[in-house]
Amino acid sequence: MAENENGAERTELPTPKRLNEAREKGNVPRSRELATAAVFGAGVAVLMAAGGPMARGALGWMRAALSPDPQLRHAPEQLFGHVGRLLLHLMLVMTPLVAVCLLAGLVAPVLMGGLRFSSKSLVPDFKRMNPMSGLKRIYGPEGLAELAKSLLRVLLVGTAAGLCMWHGLHRLLPMLDQPLEQAAGASLRFALTLLLSTAAALALLAAIDAPYQKWNWMRKLKMTRQELRDELKETEGKPEVKSRIRQLQQQMSQRRMMEAVPTADAIVVNPTHYAVALKYEGGRMRAPTVVARGVDEVALRIREVGERHRVAIVSAPPLARALYRESQIGQEIPVRLYAAVAQVLSYVYQLRAWRQQGGAYPQVPLVDVDEHADRDGGGP
């Protein structure tokens, strides 16, 4: 079981945050065996597919290199240009092989963990320069795993090469009596078979090493329960901070709610414990909307703001309680309360007309609401 520096067991899988931090530092799973198998196998594939054209190109380059123009002996200043042209010709001949091997070298990291360019990985890590840490890596579990992998590499490659030599020995002996060109062709075919067998052995080793490296990477990133709790606190915040944030959010919500009270048409109260401010604009709203609601101290503040801005306050205890329980700020009132709220708004409009024109004082409505009815609009 993996342990951290304090000796605590790492039993928990790494969180996405820990995995992202590791990748940002350049800590991603890597398999040298997979990279070796990819490059070697790609090179063998290129030789098998384009070996003929490359061999002819190499033969032409060798002829040009071994039979220089005799005039170069009388013009030594042209010798450097001749050598440069020879090197350029050789590069053109080897371009397919080099290009495919370079691309194959990028495939292995992409398959394991993607290509990551991190400047943090360039920062010197003095812990790795500690001799004790080096001895621990060499003689610890990782060192034993590398030793086992090296022995397995020798076993697989040696077995593949040995079997290829054993089964191809009968084709090697007759080459001594064959013409040069025939013997050269047979030897090249045998060499390709040997390379293909070696590539298969390396591919088998990579198929074993790649999952192990992935597992070992995850094992090293495992967390203790305390680290998991610390990260959870860091991600979600400490309880005191979260409580303070909720408190500030509530204060901001109440402030916005109080700013909307002066725009209300009526405030239905209980008369002291509940207060619900309603607003209705004919032609723009389908039904009256709740702009503020509260109990006790909040209800008292709603009433104070309403009185200060001359908003009509109507005492209807059952309706006030029903509106508070069944409505939310910014939403329309329930359908079952339409009739009761219509009585309140009718009284408010009559009160406004009385203030402007005078006349008989409007009669306060007696609103009858079954406050214990279902909230889905059902009535008594």
Side-chain angles (χ1 to χ4, degrees):
M1 188 69 67
E3 296 182 353
N4 67 351
E5 297 178 354
N6 298 326
E9 292 184 350
R10 298 182 182 272
T11 58
E12 308 300 323
L13 291 175
T15 60
K17 181 175 180 293
R18 187 177 180 90
L19 293 176
N20 290 333
E21 289 178 350
R23 293 189 179 98
E24 290 176 358
K25 295 178 181 178
N27 181 8
V28 292
R30 289 288 181 256
S31 172
R32 289 194 295 268
E33 306 303 330
L34 180 59
T36 302
V39 174
F40 191 86
V44 173
V46 171
L47 290 176
M48 294 182 66
M54 290 181 64
R56 288 190 292 272
L59 182 61
W61 175 85
M62 186 172 293
R63 286 174 179 171
L66 297 179
S67 57
D69 188 354
Q71 296 182 358
L72 291 175
R73 290 179 299 178
H74 305 290
E77 66 277 2
Q78 298 180 3
L79 185 61
F80 290 102
H82 176 69
V83 172
R85 287 191 293 273
L86 287 177
L87 292 176
L88 181 60
H89 186 192
L90 180 61
M91 291 175 59
L92 292 176
V93 171
M94 302 299 295
T95 294
L97 179 62
V98 175
V100 172
C101 289
L102 287 176
L103 291 177
L106 298 176
V107 170
V110 170
L111 292 178
M112 288 297 296
L115 293 176
R116 293 281 177 173
F117 301 95
S118 175
S119 59
K120 296 181 180 179
S121 59
L122 301 177
V123 179
D125 187 1
F126 296 100
K127 292 182 180 179
R128 299 182 64 86
M129 301 175 62
N130 187 353
M132 296 303 297
S133 300
L135 292 175
K136 186 177 180 180
R137 286 195 302 270
I138 295 174
Y139 297 103
E142 292 187 14
L144 294 176
E146 290 297 324
L147 176 61
K149 188 169 61 175
S150 300
L151 295 176
L152 184 61
R153 184 189 306 112
V154 173
L155 177 63
L156 291 176
V157 175
T159 302
L163 291 175
C164 185
M165 292 290 293
W166 177 263
H167 291 287
L169 189 62
H170 67 282
R171 290 184 294 175
L172 293 176
L173 295 177
M175 292 181 187
L176 298 175
D177 301 326
Q178 293 176 353
L180 180 60
E181 292 185 359
Q182 186 178 357
S187 62
L188 287 176
R189 288 191 294 271
F190 176 77
L192 285 176
T193 304
L194 181 61
L195 291 175
L196 187 61
S197 301
T198 305
L202 292 176
L204 179 59
L205 181 61
I208 298 173
D209 182 64
Y212 166 75
Q213 295 296 341
K214 188 80 172 182
W215 170 84
N216 192 39
W217 179 70
M218 291 289 291
R219 180 186 64 85
K220 291 180 180 179
L221 291 178
K222 278 188 174 181
M223 309 170 66
T224 64
R225 293 185 177 180
Q226 183 60 41
E227 290 175 338
L228 195 61
R229 286 193 290 266
D230 293 342
E231 182 178 304
L232 187 62
K233 288 182 180 179
E234 181 182 352
T235 303
E236 297 186 356
K238 296 182 179 180
E240 308 86 45
V241 177
K242 292 173 64 178
S243 176
R244 178 59 178 167
I245 291 175
R246 284 196 300 268
Q247 183 180 359
L248 292 175
Q249 290 175 342
Q250 291 176 357
Q251 291 177 357
M252 293 175 62
S253 177
Q254 288 186 6
R255 187 180 302 113
R256 289 194 297 268
M257 182 179 67
M258 293 302 173
E259 291 175 353
V261 170
T263 65
D265 294 311
I267 299 177
V268 184
V269 298
N270 182 28
T272 57
H273 296 291
Y274 292 85
V276 180
L278 303 174
K279 180 179 180 64
Y280 178 67
E281 296 180 7
R284 297 183 57 185
M285 295 182 178
R286 296 184 307 172
T289 302
V290 176
V291 296
R293 59 191 284 270
V295 295
D296 298 332
E297 294 183 2
V298 178
L300 181 59
R301 291 181 56 196
I302 292 175
R303 291 191 57 166
E304 291 175 350
V305 174
E307 291 174 351
R308 192 161 54 246
H309 291 83
R310 299 177 62 81
V311 179
I313 299 177
V314 181
S315 178
L319 178 59
R321 290 190 292 265
L323 285 170
Y324 181 83
R325 286 195 300 265
E326 303 177 29
S327 302
Q328 297 295 331
I329 296 176
Q331 296 182 0
E332 297 177 354
I333 64 172
V335 176
R336 79 178 193 90
L337 301 179
Y338 278 7
V341 173
Q343 289 181 270
V344 172
L345 292 178
S346 177
Y347 165 73
V348 170
Y349 297 150
Q350 294 176 19
L351 186 61
R352 288 179 182 175
W354 174 80
R355 289 174 178 173
Q356 295 176 359
Q357 303 173 5
Y361 188 84
Q363 184 178 0
V364 179
L366 297 177
V367 182
D368 185 16
V369 173
D370 185 1
E371 57 181 300
H372 300 291
D374 295 337
R375 298 185 181 183
D376 57 359

